[in-house]
């Protein structure tokens, strides 16, 4: 039932996109509640008192925090539709390794790309290009990171694609031209209804970030 599953989220969060994709892959009906990150709801603060961050998945009144944990919880709870993790233990371990890599290596530089200027932004560009190069190499000639099937690593990284244009515009970064294999992979992912539904329009992301930079950094 829809009222059993609630997702507290923010439209532009690449982490919340993961949970939305997983729920839609499984065909789970849920109630989406948009959070104002500058004025977080009492429910968010109650359900995630440690980090006070989105996304928070609430299932039968109980919170599950952290997007990757949510995706794996969803996969375990509804295992019969569109499996997200591989059945082979080694392949599962490899998928978890690359998701851990994405989480540890992307957030810092990606945030700095749009929230910083000067040397800090330049350092973030170098760092993020290194991450993209590594992921591009891991993808290789495969259709998806796990091979022929859309899975956990794809879900973990695809949300960043909706921010690529913003990174290019605000940080003068070349992604599309340098990483055609990653762009082709993203286009394959977008053919899935769950991904197309979850990812916001890149123009909307860019406008939101540009407005933020004008207010906070005084930049055009």
């Amino acid at each position: 039932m829809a009222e059993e599953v609630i997702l507290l989220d923010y439209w532009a969060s690449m982490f919340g996109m993961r949970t939305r994709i997983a729920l839609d892959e499984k065909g789970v009906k849920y109630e989406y509640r948009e959070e104002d990150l500058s004025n977080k709801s009492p429910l968010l603060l109650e359900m995630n008192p440690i980090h006070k961050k989105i996304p928070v998945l609430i299932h039968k009144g109980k919170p599950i925090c952290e997007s990757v944990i949510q995706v794996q919880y969803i996969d375990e709870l509804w295992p019969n539709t569109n499996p997200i993790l591989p059945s082979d233990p080694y392949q599962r371990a490899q998928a978890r390794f690359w998701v851990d890599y994405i989480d540890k290596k992307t957030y810092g530089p990606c945030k700095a790309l749009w929230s910083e200027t000067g040397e800090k932004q330049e350092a973030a560009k170098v760092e993020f290009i290194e991450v993209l190069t590594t992921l591009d190499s891991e993808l290789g000639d495969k259709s998806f990171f796990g091979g022929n099937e859309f899975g956990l690593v794809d879900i973990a990284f695809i949300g960043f694609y909706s921010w690529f244009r913003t990174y290019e515009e605000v940080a003068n970064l070349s992604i599309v031209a340098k990483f055609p294999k990653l762009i082709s992979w993203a286009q394959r992912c977008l053919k899935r209804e769950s991904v197309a539904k979850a990812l916001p329009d890149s123009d909307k992301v860019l406008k939101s970030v540009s407005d933020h930079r004008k207010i906070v950094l005084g930049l055009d």
Side-chain angles (χ1 to χ4, degrees):
M1 296 177 63
E3 63 267 21
E4 289 189 272
V5 182
I6 299 170
L7 180 62
L8 309 181
D9 199 3
Y10 177 66
W11 68 273
S13 169
M14 61 277 289
F15 303 105
M17 293 175 209
R18 296 169 172 177
T19 311
R20 284 175 256 159
I21 290 169
L23 288 168
D24 283 337
E25 283 289 320
K26 299 294 184 175
V28 177
K29 295 185 181 299
Y30 65 97
E31 179 184 346
Y32 177 89
R33 296 189 187 179
E34 179 79 3
E35 284 286 332
D36 178 354
L37 300 186
S38 64
N39 184 25
K40 297 173 183 178
S41 71
L43 182 60
L44 173 60
L45 300 178
E46 175 190 351
M47 291 292 167
N48 191 359
I50 304 301
H51 297 302
K52 302 177 177 63
K53 293 180 178 179
I54 52 91
V56 177
L57 180 69
I58 305 171
H59 182 223
K60 296 182 178 180
K62 297 179 180 179
I64 303 94
C65 302
E66 301 296 321
S67 62
V68 173
I69 295 173
Q70 292 166 7
V71 171
Q72 293 183 70
Y73 176 86
I74 291 164
D75 195 41
E76 292 173 5
L77 196 61
W78 293 282
N80 297 323
T81 304
N82 294 335
I84 292 171
L85 277 92
S87 58
D88 179 77
Y90 177 76
Q91 292 178 354
R92 278 203 305 274
Q94 288 298 103
R96 287 170 172 146
F97 170 85
W98 284 108
V99 169
D100 183 66
Y101 174 86
I102 290 167
D103 277 354
K104 286 179 177 176
K105 294 290 188 178
T106 55
Y107 181 74
C110 286
K111 183 176 181 180
L113 286 174
W114 63 264
S115 65
E116 300 287 353
T117 59
E119 292 183 0
K120 289 184 179 180
Q121 189 185 64
E122 290 301 314
K125 288 167 65 172
V126 172
E127 191 174 349
F128 189 51
I129 288 296
E130 289 178 355
V131 171
L132 292 177
T133 301
T134 299
L135 292 174
D136 185 72
S137 176
E138 170 59 21
L139 178 64
D141 295 324
K142 301 189 296 289
S143 296
F144 300 102
F145 280 97
N148 293 323
E149 301 296 329
F150 179 79
L152 181 65
V153 184
D154 307 294
I155 291 174
F157 190 56
I158 188 58
F160 290 87
Y161 176 71
S162 61
W163 283 72
F164 278 6
R165 186 180 174 211
T166 297
Y167 301 150
E168 289 194 319
E169 291 287 336
V170 303
N172 193 27
L173 188 64
S174 177
I175 299 175
V176 174
K178 286 187 176 181
F179 299 100
K181 284 192 296 185
L182 285 177
I183 300 305
S184 295
W185 159 81
Q187 293 298 325
R188 282 191 292 275
C189 291
L190 278 166
K191 291 180 181 178
R192 302 185 74 86
E193 184 178 351
S194 63
V195 177
K197 181 180 175 182
L199 265 61
D201 182 77
S202 59
D203 289 340
K204 183 179 178 182
V205 176
L206 176 59
K207 183 180 185 305
S208 177
V209 169
S210 297
D211 291 345
H212 174 86
R213 284 168 65 84
K214 288 177 183 177
I215 295 170
V216 176
L217 301 177
L219 300 173
D220 292 330

